[in-house]
Amino acid sequence: MQLHRTTRITVVLLFAAWTVDYIDRLVINLALPFIGETFGLSHGARGLIVSAFFLTYALCQIPGGLLADRFGGVRMASLALVLWSICTGLTALAWSFAALLVVRALFGAAQGLFPGAALNALSRRSVPAQRMTATGWLQSSNAVGGLLASVLASVLLSVWNWRAMFLTVCLLGILVLVAVRRWMPAPLPDADTGADAPRADGAARAVLRSPAIWGFALMFFAYDVVIWGLNSWSGSYLIEERGLEVADAGLVVLGPTVLAAVGAVIGGKLSDRFEGRPRRIVVPAMAAVAVLLFLLPRTATVTQFVVCGSLLSGAAGLCYLPCFSVPLRSLPPGLTGAASGIVLFGGQLSGIVTPAVFGTVVDHFSYEAAFTMLIAGPVLALVVARFVPQTTPRFLAAFGGAAGRRTGGPASARPAPDPKG
């Protein structure tokens, strides 16, 4: 079934915003060797720069989702775009390692408002049966943003320096903000999206306390151990261990990026086709990821590294949407911001831990040991996938019905949605 026109326009605009989100976030990865030279930093200290972002990014996921449910997804996404673009510019002005840590922490807080807001906005502009397909197309922006970040960073770092690079990319967010505010369509009717479902008092608190949703958050944590380990350190590994120039190190991510995007789209479509059932996707895909992670640092040539990394990224990409599929298909749009915020919070906790731990393992052992350590992620995902609810009925039963479609008082008791929600 073709996506509704409103859904398609929403996906395009949020795709652009999330692409810029990832560009602003990931250009620092290729800049880490140069930032390290500027401030005289060890690998562990460089990892802390990335982890400082993820600390506040993770802490703002749940508040960001709750604020989106309360004030509207488009409004909160727009605020996030403004704030993180300012912080990207301020990164270029950092005069010390401590100042850089503070700015990146503020940057993380600004970007932490965005994911829950974006998923809330999309939920209000999509029907449940198409929601994961639409979200799959939206989340493929992560891979596209990663690719563009590598290309832009490679070019800008070759021509100028890391400070000029951050000043340049901060302008992208403002351009996307104008497009979102100008062309974002109004939400679909509540009856189509499920927003007319009665909502019980305390439903948001029930979401925050739901073991079922926290189970999906743990699965996303496991997924992101792989993603942020690779995203944060593959560029430095190729430069320092394989002797690539910075421009070449940025361009070799083309294969992994394309397959990650394809994996995200296919994972969304399969999630809709399977009506959730994340186990069907996560178990075989994460088993393949574990094997490929073991092989990755042991490849003999850069070409073999790229082929192995591309297959790994494609397999991991399949697992992105299954971490969200059952909650987003099962809950009304007025609770999807909070639910997605919890799942995203779980994933970003790995962003706090993984880059710093990876860098420390490199300092004390080797890159090979650090890449091998990432196998803990798919192993954990395989375990968690066996226990999370697989369908909407099982999810709502585990959830306790407190915020399901049939609970609560009259729909008229809820505040009217923001027309630009």
Side-chain angles (χ1 to χ4, degrees):
M1 183 191 303
Q2 187 178 33
L3 294 178
H4 192 284
R5 182 175 182 273
T6 292
T7 307
R8 295 199 304 271
I9 295 173
T10 302
V11 168
V12 169
L13 291 171
L14 292 177
F15 183 100
W18 222 317
T19 297
V20 171
D21 176 303
Y22 260 63
I23 291 172
D24 285 15
R25 184 190 315 180
L26 295 179
V27 289
I28 197 169
N29 292 333
L30 281 179
L32 280 177
F34 305 99
I35 293 173
E37 291 178 4
T38 299
F39 297 118
L41 306 177
S42 67
H43 289 88
R46 297 178 206 178
L48 287 176
I49 296 173
V50 181
S51 294
F53 161 84
F54 279 107
L55 175 62
T56 51
Y57 185 71
L59 291 176
C60 287
Q61 293 298 314
I62 296 174
L66 292 170
L67 288 171
D69 289 341
R70 175 65 179 85
F71 296 108
V74 174
R75 183 176 295 157
M76 293 306 302
S78 300
L79 176 62
L81 271 163
V82 171
L83 295 178
W84 92 55
S85 298
I86 292 172
C87 289
T88 299
L90 290 176
T91 300
L93 305 179
W95 60 90
S96 67
F97 175 55
L100 186 60
L101 286 179
V102 171
V103 171
R104 296 308 289 180
L106 293 173
F107 175 76
Q111 285 210 334
L113 299 174
F114 180 76
L119 293 176
N120 174 282
L122 181 59
S123 293
R124 293 186 179 278
R125 293 164 177 81
S126 61
V127 299
Q130 297 181 338
R131 191 160 292 155
M132 299 320 299
T133 298
T135 306
W137 283 108
L138 176 58
Q139 294 305 326
S140 68
S141 63
N142 295 355
V144 174
L147 173 62
L148 292 178
S150 296
V151 172
L152 285 173
S154 298
V155 172
L156 294 174
L157 288 171
S158 298
V159 175
W160 294 319
N161 57 42
W162 65 270
R163 295 184 186 276
M165 179 189 71
F166 283 108
L167 287 174
T168 301
V169 299
C170 77
L171 301 176
L172 295 175
I174 302 302
L175 296 176
V176 173
L177 171 66
V178 173
V180 169
R181 297 305 300 178
R182 182 180 179 90
W183 291 303
M184 180 64 71
L188 291 174
D190 287 351
D192 293 342
T193 64
D196 62 340
R199 172 171 165 173
D201 293 338
R205 290 193 298 274
V207 170
L208 297 177
R209 296 172 182 172
S210 168
I213 294 178
W214 284 99
F216 285 98
L218 182 59
M219 190 160 68
F220 197 52
F221 173 93
Y223 161 86
D224 262 342
V225 166
V226 177
I227 299 306
W228 291 118
L230 295 178
N231 284 352
S232 300
W233 285 103
S234 291
S236 294
Y237 168 77
L238 290 170
I239 293 169
E240 296 176 3
E241 294 293 307
R242 300 296 179 109
L244 267 65
E245 297 294 330
V246 63
D248 295 330
L251 293 176
V252 297
V253 303
L254 176 60
T257 299
V258 170
L259 285 186
V262 171
V265 173
I266 294 175
K269 288 181 176 292
L270 289 176
S271 294
D272 276 339
R273 179 174 298 178
F274 296 154
E275 297 181 342
R277 295 182 173 86
R279 188 185 306 157
R280 295 186 180 182
I281 304 170
V282 172
V283 170
M286 277 300 179
V289 168
V291 173
L292 292 167
L293 273 174
F294 179 81
L295 296 175
L296 186 67
R298 296 168 176 84
T299 53
T301 66
V302 172
T303 300
Q304 291 175 1
F305 182 92
V306 172
V307 171
C308 185
S310 298
L311 295 174
L312 195 164
S313 296
L318 291 170
C319 302
Y320 190 112
L321 270 301
C323 297
F324 296 83
S325 59
V326 178
L328 291 188
R329 285 176 58 87
S330 305
L331 293 172
L335 294 173
T336 54
S340 60
I342 292 172
V343 178
L344 289 161
F345 172 77
Q348 305 322 315
L349 284 180
S350 67
I352 299 172
V353 175
T354 304
V357 172
F358 193 110
T360 301
V361 172
V362 172
D363 283 336
H364 290 85
F365 299 98
S366 65
Y367 270 105
E368 183 175 300
F371 279 113
T372 304
M373 171 201 69
L374 297 180
I375 294 175
V379 170
L380 178 59
L382 287 169
V383 173
V384 177
R386 301 290 299 176
F387 295 99
V388 293
Q390 299 295 302
T391 62
T392 292
R394 290 185 178 276
F395 173 79
L396 293 179
F399 190 76
R405 290 194 173 98
R406 302 176 184 85
T407 62
S412 60
R414 295 195 315 274
D418 181 350
K420 292 292 285 182

